[in-house]
Amino acid sequence: MRRRWVSAVAITMAGLLSLTACGGGEDGQGASGGEAAKKQVEVFSWWTGPGEADGLTAMREIFEKQNPNLTFFDAAVAGGSGDKARALLTTKLQADTPPDTFQGHAGAELQGYIKAGDLEPVNFLYDELKLRDVYPKQLIDQITVDGNIYSVPVNIHRSNVLWFNPAVLKEAGVAGAPKTIEEFITALEAVKKTGKVPLSIGSEWTAVHLLENVLLGSLGTEAYNQLWTANSDWSGPAMTKALQDFQKIMSYAGTPQDDWQPAAKQVADGEAAFNIMGDWAYGYFHNPPEGGLGKTSKTDFDWAPAPGTEGTFMWLSDSFTLPKGAPNRDGAIAWLKVAASKEGQDAFNPKKGSIPARTDADKSLYTDYLADALSDWSSNKLAGSIQHGVVVNDAWRTAINEAVGLFQQDQDVAKLQQALAAAAKSSGQ
Ligand code: GAL
């Protein structure tokens, strides 16, 4: 835990130093002489933690090989799901000192940056690299406003995954992954009797991640997708039931861990039975030690769609941007080209636990869990993630996070429902 804090502070300091460096020189050059004289490219993300950093490193290696005149400056800010990173990013954007490129989720989150005028369109890259032919049209729609495209998606992640420890389930007499919310609650109760943690949980945002999964599983895909339209129903009985399900499921959660990794680790170590988390957890479970836990799939950990969500892929996509006023615009474009490339995506995604956003990737690289994800992505119904920026913008997400935070203290379902309905009404989205 101490290590994480140290790295968060170090990274924030690095971010501040680079902010000063960028302010001091038009060309984004660091200290003079040798390696430092190369032009630096500040890449802003939140991939510092075990599992996630592996993917970034793989893409960085390609970038450095292809651009010997550029230095990759890792401005990542620690903290899963990027809540802390986005807070710093907002400050940087408001001060007109953007990084050269930053990570943003395709969908409503990105649309927020576009509407705020923070981004340059990158249509020229789509033309030059013929990217319209290799990205799914629905994905391009999520990053387009008025015919302009504003980012380069690097992956597709799945939010609705139930990770579980087969041995802990066996010990509790649970025959397999629960398929419905009701079966899930029965399984959680059975695990509780063994003394193990039924459901592991991480920091605050992981409760919202759990909520989006319970909403999808309890309401069904059609009603969930309607929540983001003019026909939404936040106040009716189906939502009350979904929130009661959420309350019940949360009552089986263990002690909140520091972030998503330690919560996932409780499953891999056999301390907990279940964890509902995005498939970045796969990279963490599976990658060799140092970057990951080096665990064996199907033995140390296994997966299934989150209860009640089989046949639906709740998706999100990490994309990189070209901020207006990027100190090293050419360097940023060089990074975007790697992020857009087949080579870059095929290096990044198997490590990150995601599948490529491009449709022409080398499928043989995506085995085990990732083969399931590829096949479900092309055949399932789709739903967008709340916590990871697809269906709600940052303001709406913050309101949902606050409502869930309060609920964890007062356990008042009616109040939570009112707060969620109010957040939807005032979202202005
Ligand atoms: C998501 C992001 C993923 C992963 C996850 C946990 O928001 O899209 O790439 O990093 O957070 O940090």
Side-chain angles (χ1 to χ4, degrees), residues 46-47 52 79-83 86 103 105 109 155 157 205 259-261 277-278 280 316-318 348 352 354 387-389 397:
W46 54 88
W47 296 328
E52 344 214 58
S81 175
D83 288 351
R86 277 188 300 275
Q103 173 194 350
H105 288 123
E109 180 185 309
N155 67 1
H157 265 308
W205 69 267
D259 207 335
W260 68 267
Q261 288 99 335
M277 189 37 59
W280 41 91
L316 59 123
S317 169
D318 296 308
F348 173 79
K352 184 67 170 60
S354 39
Q387 175 60 25
H388 308 283
R397 173 179 40 205

Side-chain angles (χ1 to χ4, degrees), residues 273-350:
F274 297 105
N275 180 236
I276 289 187
M277 189 37 59
D279 50 10
W280 41 91
Y282 177 72
Y284 176 52
F285 288 140
H286 175 264
N287 289 354
E290 279 312 297
L293 294 174
K295 296 285 184 182
T296 306
S297 89
K298 302 283 175 189
T299 307
D300 298 325
F301 69 96
D302 203 345
W303 60 86
T309 73
E310 192 166 6
T312 297
F313 192 115
M314 181 135 66
W315 72 278
L316 59 123
S317 169
D318 296 308
S319 71
F320 281 95
T321 58
L322 183 59
K324 276 187 190 157
N328 184 356
R329 184 176 181 276
D330 290 347
I333 291 170
W335 172 255
L336 294 179
K337 284 185 173 174
V338 174
S341 70
K342 186 161 144 43
E343 190 188 357
Q345 295 198 9
D346 279 343
F348 173 79
N349 287 301

Side-chain angles (χ1 to χ4, degrees), residues 344-381:
Q345 295 198 9
D346 279 343
F348 173 79
N349 287 301
K351 293 274 180 204
K352 184 67 170 60
S354 39
I355 54 172
R358 288 179 69 117
T359 51
D360 61 348
D362 179 354
K363 289 204 169 49
S364 70
L365 297 170
Y366 300 88
T367 54
D368 200 32
Y369 165 79
L370 294 173
D372 286 1
L374 260 187
S375 132
D376 286 353
W377 170 242
S378 60
S379 58
N380 279 193
K381 287 187 237 165

Side-chain angles (χ1 to χ4, degrees), residues 179-354:
K179 286 191 180 297
T180 62
I181 300 271
E182 287 66 32
E183 282 181 25
F184 190 32
I185 292 169
T186 306
L188 290 166
E189 185 59 34
V191 176
K192 190 176 170 190
K193 296 207 171 95
T194 69
K196 296 252 159 113
V197 175
L199 176 70
S200 64
I201 193 100
S203 45
E204 292 84 355
W205 69 267
T206 66
V208 179
H209 188 105
L210 181 66
L211 174 68
E212 71 183 29
N213 275 272
V214 176
L215 290 182
L216 182 66
S218 183
L219 295 172
T221 307
E222 209 179 307
Y224 176 90
N225 284 339
Q226 261 186 20
L227 292 174
W228 327 110
T229 69
N231 297 324
S232 66
D233 182 6
W234 287 90
S235 303
M239 180 58 76
T240 310
K241 166 77 172 68
L243 297 178
Q244 284 164 347
D245 287 341
F246 176 62
Q247 180 177 43
K248 182 78 186 159
I249 290 167
M250 277 296 280
S251 74
Y252 292 99
T255 308
Q257 304 294 298
D258 210 21
D259 207 335
W260 68 267
Q261 288 99 335
K265 189 166 184 297
Q266 287 185 307
V267 170
D269 289 348
E271 286 169 33
F274 297 105
N275 180 236
I276 289 187
M277 189 37 59
D279 50 10
W280 41 91
Y282 177 72
Y284 176 52
F285 288 140
H286 175 264
N287 289 354
E290 279 312 297
L293 294 174
K295 296 285 184 182
T296 306
S297 89
K298 302 283 175 189
T299 307
D300 298 325
F301 69 96
D302 203 345
W303 60 86
T309 73
E310 192 166 6
T312 297
F313 192 115
M314 181 135 66
W315 72 278
L316 59 123
S317 169
D318 296 308
S319 71
F320 281 95
T321 58
L322 183 59
K324 276 187 190 157
N328 184 356
R329 184 176 181 276
D330 290 347
I333 291 170
W335 172 255
L336 294 179
K337 284 185 173 174
V338 174
S341 70
K342 186 161 144 43
E343 190 188 357
Q345 295 198 9
D346 279 343
F348 173 79
N349 287 301
K351 293 274 180 204
K352 184 67 170 60
S354 39

Side-chain angles (χ1 to χ4, degrees), residues 19-20 28 38 40 83 158 276 305 310 329 368 407 427:
L19 208 151
T20 322
K38 292 178 184 176
Q40 84 177 16
D83 288 351
R158 183 173 193 167
I276 289 187
E310 192 166 6
R329 184 176 181 276
D368 200 32
F407 173 71
S427 73

